[in-house]
Amino acid sequence: MALQAASLLPSAVSIHKEGKSNASLKETGFFEVSVSDHLKAELSLGLSKNKELKRRKLPVGVIRAQTATTPAISQASPEGKKTLRKGNVIITGASSGLGLATAKALAETEKWHIIMACRNFLKADRAAKSAGIAKENYTVMHLDLASLESVRQFADNFRRSGRPLDVLVCNAAVYLPTAKEPTFTAEGFELSVGTNHLGHFLLSRLLLDDLKQTDYPSKRLIIVGSITGNTNTLAGNVPPKANLGDLRGLAGGLNGINGSPMIDGGEFDGAKAYKDSKVCNMLTMQEFHRRYHEETGITFASLYPGCIATTGLFREHIPLFRLLFPPFQKYITKGYVSEEEAGKRLAQVVTDPSLTKSGVYWSWNKNSASFQNQLSQEASDAEKARKVWEISEKLVGLA
Ligand code: NDP
Ligand code: PMR
């Protein structure tokens, strides 16, 4: 299957090779989350402590009141050193693959409490246990991204838990490459774009206020993207290519009844729908950045963690693909990365003080050093991002 696709490759593609390191970014330890690092991170956002407090309309010296939670920085450790409370991070789809590996990497630092936002509660709980995540470091909360009602309920439940929200990671996804006919979310949107983009779009919009309110020094909203949505790469030129067209299908509601289930208005293609959804993820991150970074200080970021060829993402693919894909990526494209390594990369985007730049799409080179990568023309089209945002807010009932 993979090799068949090679013969479909256009002969003249412009390839921006993922994997070049930006020398200006030096690698730092993954989990060095000291107070001074966090304050440095805050300074690098251009906010002095005083300005930040003024922006939140609070007098200097007062730590913002949280309902029944500990302030981010408490003064009272026995050695007289300032200590940072545990960060709270929501990770969608943390029951397997990248999400689970990230939860594990963060839990091992003992500096994070992970809210595993999953559609299958028991599977998530079992996964956390078998990954060795200590029970005081995680909470499973039900979230089905294929139902907007469930997304709203999740946001309400999370708020009722009284926890501050410091980082939100939109990670869950479905990939339906062999589907002949489209399937749909509870509200009738094509399942891949409905889950991967629209579910996360509503979730992020609903939880933005919680992120705004946290007193944690570095707050972040991360939306996982992918190389296959970027047509400036070899991987992104494997047919079917991502292409949102003029968004007529999205505007028509992706329901396949009075329009098309595809964003560009074309015939249903499951592999393309996934890649299109990743373009929406990367556009959404940038639109968030343009609308909210300056006002809120939140870091908005996306990433391609490498090709994690062994995850459940390929569960719907034919068995031959699942057999050949990992060795193909390991030995031929050399794009392969283990779940563990990919989890460390996403954990870096969650917590590393050197990755606080907003509006950025991160990738890693062969030495596992992070660098700010370029998005394709479509995935960085500001006008398209604005339109995707406006149509999406109508579809999810926010406008
Ligand atoms: P997995 O299939 O292992 O993980 C996907 C997760 O999403 C699972 O936990 C799954 O839950 C969850 N999920 C699916 N549908 C829903 C839903 N309706 N509501 C809530 N959760 C849902 O795949 P990966 O770990 O590979 O994928 C994680 C992210 O990484 C995705 O965003 C993907 O696009 C991205 N990515 C993956 C690459 C790879 O090579 N694998 C490369 C680049 C990006 P459940 O366990 O219940 O099925
Ligand atoms: Mg790809 C450097 C080359 C490279 C990389 C990094 C990937 C990543 N792929 C590359 C090249 C190729 N792939 C080539 C040359 C071919 C033709 C033989 C090829 C084929 C291929 C298929 C059929 N690749 C795939 C598929 C899938 O079904 C996967 C997909 O598109 O899922 C949407 C996939 C992927 N290749 C990748 C990555 C990361 C994927 C997985 C999914 C994702 O983007 O999340």
Side-chain angles (χ1 to χ4, degrees):
M1 183 69 184
L3 298 172
Q4 265 172 10
S7 60
L8 298 171
L9 274 172
S11 52
V13 288
S14 145
I15 297 160
H16 171 87
K17 197 165 183 326
E18 296 231 352
K20 279 187 195 155
S21 171
N22 176 341
S24 70
L25 282 168
K26 60 175 191 316
E27 223 188 339
T28 53
F30 290 150
F31 305 124
E32 302 296 315
V33 204
S34 67
V35 172
S36 63
D37 279 334
H38 275 283
L39 292 178
K40 261 189 256 155
E42 182 132 87
L43 288 174
S44 81
L45 292 171
L47 295 171
S48 74
K49 199 80 194 142
N50 282 355
K51 262 195 201 157
E52 168 69 345
L53 288 167
K54 260 190 219 148
R55 192 177 57 68
R56 293 172 188 159
K57 297 196 177 64
L58 287 171
V60 177
V62 173
I63 292 169
R64 209 187 64 78
Q66 292 280 346
T67 31
T69 54
T70 338
I73 298 169
S74 86
Q75 311 277 350
S77 91
E79 308 82 31
K81 275 195 203 158
K82 289 180 182 175
T83 55
L84 189 64
R85 69 159 162 78
K86 265 190 187 175
N88 292 296
V89 54
I90 294 178
I91 305 180
T92 68
S95 50
S96 71
L98 177 62
L100 180 62
T102 307
K104 183 171 158 44
L106 290 170
E108 279 168 2
T109 67
E110 298 282 334
K111 289 172 177 155
W112 290 89
H113 186 87
I114 297 107
I115 294 98
M116 301 172 70
C118 297
R119 62 177 165 179
N120 184 333
F121 191 97
L122 283 176
K123 180 181 175 185
D125 198 47
R126 270 199 293 269
K129 287 200 171 87
S130 63
I133 303 177
K135 66 176 185 318
E136 65 275 16
N137 290 337
Y138 77 93
T139 303
V140 180
M141 285 183 68
H142 184 260
L143 168 67
D144 181 358
L145 287 158
S147 155
L148 298 181
E149 188 49 41
S150 169
V151 174
R152 289 183 182 280
Q153 262 173 28
F154 173 86
D156 285 348
N157 290 341
F158 176 75
R159 216 156 282 146
R160 269 199 290 271
S161 77
R163 280 184 189 279
L165 177 61
D166 307 318
V167 179
L168 169 62
V169 180
C170 297
N171 162 77
V174 286
Y175 175 42
L176 309 162
T178 55
K180 300 269 178 289
E181 297 293 332
T183 42
F184 298 94
T185 65
E187 285 79 13
F189 306 121
E190 186 283 318
L191 194 65
S192 335
V193 176
T195 305
N196 309 356
H197 166 59
L198 291 172
H200 279 135
F201 179 80
L202 178 61
L203 182 71
S204 320
R205 288 287 302 273
L206 294 178
L207 293 177
L208 189 68
D209 270 347
D210 301 69
L211 280 172
K212 280 185 196 169
Q213 282 162 22
T214 176
D215 57 352
Y216 203 71
S218 178
K219 36 199 177 190
R220 308 184 191 190
L221 197 169
I222 299 156
I223 309 178
V224 178
S226 182
I227 193 172
T228 54
N230 277 299
T231 50
N232 56 340
T233 64
L234 172 57
N237 276 284
V238 174
K241 291 202 242 179
N243 179 4
L244 308 188
D246 62 5
L247 306 175
R248 68 179 65 180
L250 186 67
L254 296 179
N255 56 31
I257 299 165
N258 41 17
S260 156
M262 301 294 290
I263 294 180
D264 65 358
E267 290 286 300
F268 174 70
D269 182 323
K272 181 174 183 299
Y274 170 89
K275 294 176 192 179
D276 289 349
S277 77
K278 290 284 117 184
V279 176
C280 290
N281 287 154
M282 296 180 281
L283 289 174
T284 301
M285 174 281 287
Q286 293 163 89
E287 191 63 16
F288 261 116
H289 167 74
R290 280 188 283 270
R291 288 176 187 242
Y292 294 107
H293 173 65
E294 226 176 273
E295 170 202 333
T296 64
I298 298 169
T299 295
F300 300 97
S302 185
L303 69 150
Y304 166 59
C307 185
I308 332 160
T310 52
T311 70
L313 193 68
F314 310 104
R315 66 188 98 177
E316 302 292 336
H317 227 310
I318 56 167
L320 186 63
F321 176 89
R322 294 206 305 272
L323 181 73
L324 295 179
F325 192 54
F328 171 68
Q329 292 294 343
K330 251 183 216 166
Y331 304 113
I332 299 176
T333 72
K334 307 247 179 1
Y336 174 85
V337 59
S338 68
E339 293 183 24
E340 190 188 1
E341 177 57 25
K344 286 182 183 167
R345 290 176 178 185
L346 178 47
Q348 242 184 308
V349 184
V350 170
T351 190
D352 194 311
S354 71
L355 302 190
T356 51
K357 189 163 175 193
S358 184
V360 167
Y361 168 66
W362 297 106
S363 295
W364 284 259
N365 68 16
K366 290 193 173 57
N367 303 319
S368 256
S370 57
F371 67 99
Q372 186 182 329
N373 207 347
Q374 292 214 319
L375 291 158
S376 68
Q377 197 175 14
E378 180 169 56
S380 52
D381 181 335
E383 186 51 22
K384 212 167 243 190
R386 186 182 61 77
K387 286 189 185 146
V388 166
W389 179 282
E390 286 171 1
I391 298 170
S392 301
E393 50 181 17
K394 287 197 184 112
L395 295 179
V396 302
L398 289 173

